[in-house]
Amino acid sequence: MAAENDFLLIYAESDNGKRIDIIFEHYDNFLELADMFEGRLFDDIKEEKAFNRREARGDLGIRVQTSGKSDPTCMEATGNLTLIQDIQDGNIDDAMKGADEDMKHDIQIQALQDMRTDYKDLNDAMVILPRKQRNEVKDLLTGERDLQQIADDSKNYYDSAKSRVYRNRSKVKKKAIEFIEDTRRKQMRRWKELCNAKDEEAIGGKRTEGTGDVGSEKIRNLQGGDASVFSGETLYRRAG
């Protein structure tokens, strides 16, 4: 998984401007790349959990006969669905339960979350352009048309068309960075709200017993808003 590790690490360590450049470079298949990296990460974490369970039982590599009182196939399917959902939602603590304890997968999960939200913010930023100019930028990014074709279609000289397209792409990049920064601020605010709710629950734990667990309900409400932001403050050290 070396290529995936390199790509996700580079993305995680890039500032917002560099991230936009990466999306531009891979615009045509960017979400497909995210899906592929996600699937490979799922396989890695799943195998780590299985390996650690076998090692904990002392039967590494040995198939154990179960009691027959449970359905291993059903349990595995349920576990797989839960794991992929945790990865997609950015629930790092839940996704990593039983896996190897290191920061590698934490960074990968957060990078995948950021790839999807950054891509959405970039496409939202495209709307600042008139439709014809927006289509020119998108066609160049996807390879649908090259600069010569765009120039011919718009009945402009090549240099004039090139200047226009790249000027509009710069406008999109600038607006996309603003959107990404706004997204990060909202994510951090939601994360802090969750931390405060957890602190309130810990402090008032005895008071919430027998009263519908108000603290837990508040946390569930916050989590329902945006699960991707509850993976740890250190992973939001990047603000742009």
Side-chain angles (χ1 to χ4, degrees):
M1 198 174 172
E4 291 88 332
N5 285 342
D6 290 344
F7 187 98
L8 293 177
L9 180 60
I10 290 171
Y11 198 85
E13 294 299 323
S14 296
D15 62 24
N16 292 332
K18 177 60 176 175
R19 288 182 174 201
I20 296 300
D21 291 338
I22 293 173
I23 298 175
F24 279 154
E25 183 180 355
H26 301 279
Y27 186 82
D28 191 36
N29 65 334
F30 191 73
L31 291 183
E32 293 176 357
L33 283 173
D35 289 341
M36 183 268 289
F37 294 150
E38 186 179 272
R40 297 293 296 272
L41 177 59
F42 167 82
D43 289 340
D44 278 2
I45 296 177
K46 177 184 173 183
E47 179 55 33
E48 286 178 11
K49 291 186 177 191
F51 180 92
N52 291 338
R53 283 196 301 270
R54 293 194 301 268
E55 190 174 53
R57 291 199 305 261
D59 59 352
L60 187 60
I62 301 175
R63 184 179 179 86
V64 176
Q65 181 67 42
T66 62
S67 65
K69 294 182 179 179
S70 62
D71 185 345
T73 302
C74 181
M75 291 176 63
E76 180 179 3
T78 300
N80 290 345
L81 287 174
T82 300
L83 174 57
I84 196 64
Q85 191 64 55
D86 286 334
I87 292 174
Q88 291 175 348
D89 290 344
N91 297 329
I92 294 177
D93 289 343
D94 291 336
M96 293 302 297
K97 285 179 181 176
D100 294 345
E101 295 182 4
D102 59 52
M103 286 293 294
K104 179 183 69 175
H105 293 329
D106 299 40
I107 294 172
Q108 291 170 330
I109 292 172
Q110 189 59 55
L112 286 167
Q113 284 292 114
D114 290 348
M115 284 176 67
R116 297 184 189 281
T117 58
D118 294 349
Y119 183 82
K120 179 181 182 304
D121 286 338
L122 172 59
N123 280 298
D124 288 346
M126 289 274 191
V127 180
I128 68 171
L129 299 177
R131 183 178 298 276
K132 183 177 179 180
Q133 295 180 23
R134 181 164 72 243
N135 289 339
E136 288 179 344
V137 172
K138 285 189 174 182
D139 285 353
L140 186 64
L141 291 174
T142 61
E144 189 71 23
R145 290 186 291 173
D146 60 21
L147 284 171
Q148 187 60 61
Q149 290 174 305
I150 292 173
D152 292 343
D153 291 343
S154 61
K155 296 180 173 58
N156 291 139
Y157 292 113
Y158 177 89
D159 288 342
S160 177
K162 178 180 179 180
S163 176
R164 181 180 67 252
V165 172
Y166 279 94
R167 183 172 61 250
N168 286 329
R169 196 172 82 160
S170 294
K171 290 179 181 177
V172 170
K173 178 177 179 177
K174 181 178 179 180
K175 180 57 66 174
I177 290 173
E178 292 178 10
F179 285 170
I180 290 173
E181 290 173 348
D182 184 59
T183 296
R184 295 290 182 272
R185 284 192 292 269
K186 290 176 180 177
Q187 288 174 332
M188 180 56 76
R189 184 164 62 249
R190 297 285 295 175
W191 185 84
K192 288 180 178 179
E193 287 174 352
L194 178 66
C195 288
N196 290 337
K198 286 184 175 181
D199 289 343
E200 290 177 11
E201 181 182 29
I203 294 172
K206 293 183 179 180
R207 293 197 301 272
T208 61
E209 291 179 4
T211 61
D213 201 352
V214 176
S216 295
E217 182 64 26
K218 183 173 182 180
I219 292 172
R220 285 193 294 272
N221 289 338
L222 288 169
Q223 289 174 327
D226 186 349
S228 68
V229 307
F230 307 126
S231 49
E233 185 174 17
T234 57
L235 298 179
Y236 286 101
R237 61 190 182 279
R238 309 178 302 276

